[in-house]
Amino acid sequence: MQIQTTKAIITGGASGLGEATARVLRAAGAEITLLDRDATRGPLVASEIGGHFVETDVTDEQSVATAIEKASGAMSGLNACINCAGIATGEKTVGRNGAHALDSFQRTININLVGSFNVLRLAAAQMANNTPNEDGERGVIVNTASIAAFDGQKGQAAYGASKAGIAGLTLPVARDLSSIGVRIMAIAPGIFLTPMLEGLGQDIIDGLSADVTFPKRLGKPSEFARLAQFIIESPYLNGEVIRIDGALRMQ
């Protein structure tokens, strides 16, 4: 798919990896609609890049259905979906206060995994109406997994499980969507320099960077974004998870 003909929704697009992806894709010529719960920053980012914004709760079926309808109307179509919305939960299975809270585990799974599936299934249904290109392609979906799906650290039971779910659904969904010409991929980032990490201070950032094999630094959100663009533009990429982590294997 050519980036100049891409009409994409990006969940979590008001900040972090989602915002970076929105900026990179828009600069390359794609039309963008940000889907986010942040009704303050979302419209600001959309205005800055010349895109659109729809306040969206990814865990709510009607909210997502409405958002996709509005986005498709604003862009006169939809052929790409990038899921970046998510939360990180740090809590041991059994800690000082007893067993892991069930509600925090469920909330993490609901936002990171169920939310991503909620968006991709409705986006794919919309893409099924598109006219296929020369490869028979009608759309592409890019989900955000994590290296925590494969080598999660202590305290990451909920987060690791949610991201392992993202990795695990990639191939079966690719097989499901092959009949309508929609591809799906997942990106598994390592530790990236998002605004949340920037606020921790340089000493902590240097400590995190020390475990990265090469280059010895945290990932740049723009690097995640460029990989998402590469996936969109590469029609033979389908049903796979790509790590982008500087060869980091978490201890």
Side-chain angles (χ1 to χ4, degrees):
M1 183 184 301
Q2 294 183 350
I3 207 68
Q4 292 82 6
T5 61
T6 297
K7 300 177 181 184
I9 55 172
I10 302 177
T11 69
S15 61
L17 298 178
E19 179 184 347
T21 303
R23 292 184 181 278
V24 166
L25 295 186
R26 182 64 183 140
E31 290 192 61
I32 301 296
T33 300
L34 310 180
L35 275 55
D36 204 293
R37 295 190 68 176
D38 192 339
T40 300
R41 181 160 177 75
L44 292 177
V45 175
S47 177
E48 287 177 8
I49 68 174
H52 313 281
F53 170 77
V54 184
E55 184 177 356
T56 311
D57 178 355
V58 297
T59 68
D60 183 87
E61 183 172 13
Q62 188 56 54
S63 178
V64 173
T66 299
I68 288 175
E69 181 180 1
K70 289 181 178 180
S72 299
M75 298 186 295
S76 298
L78 173 67
N79 57 14
C81 168
I82 300 98
N83 279 311
C84 295
I87 62 171
T89 300
E91 189 174 349
K92 289 185 179 181
T93 306
V94 178
R96 293 179 180 177
N97 298 320
H100 193 304
L102 186 59
D103 61 348
S104 63
F105 188 91
Q106 290 175 324
R107 180 170 182 266
T108 303
I109 297 294
N110 199 35
I111 294 174
N112 294 0
L113 177 56
V114 179
S116 294
F117 184 73
N118 187 31
V119 175
L120 77 84
R121 70 188 181 93
L122 295 175
Q126 179 68 32
M127 294 175 191
N129 300 315
N130 294 340
T131 301
N133 64 14
E134 61 276 9
D135 274 325
E137 184 178 21
R138 289 184 168 91
V140 58
I141 296 159
V142 181
N143 283 334
T144 303
S146 168
I147 62 171
F150 312 107
D151 39 86
Q153 296 179 303
K154 62 183 179 181
Q156 290 188 330
Y159 184 71
S162 70
K163 295 304 185 177
I166 292 292
L169 64 75
T170 305
L171 182 58
V173 171
R175 288 169 167 167
D176 285 348
L177 300 183
S178 63
S179 62
I180 60 171
V182 174
R183 296 184 291 121
I184 179 170
M185 291 285 292
I187 299 174
I191 306 175
F192 273 65
L193 191 57
T194 59
M196 179 178 67
L197 282 181
E198 288 175 344
L200 296 178
Q202 193 60 46
D203 288 344
I204 293 179
I205 291 173
D206 290 343
L208 293 170
S209 302
D211 289 332
V212 181
T213 303
F214 184 80
K216 282 200 170 296
R217 59 170 173 80
L218 303 190
K220 300 174 183 178
S222 61
E223 292 172 318
F224 175 97
R226 291 201 300 272
L227 178 54
Q229 179 178 339
F230 180 76
I231 289 171
I232 291 170
E233 294 178 311
S234 303
Y236 211 56
L237 284 176
N238 192 19
E240 186 55 275
V241 182
I242 301 176
R243 291 180 68 131
I244 179 169
D245 57 15
L248 171 64
R249 297 300 181 266
M250 294 196 290
Q251 301 298 314

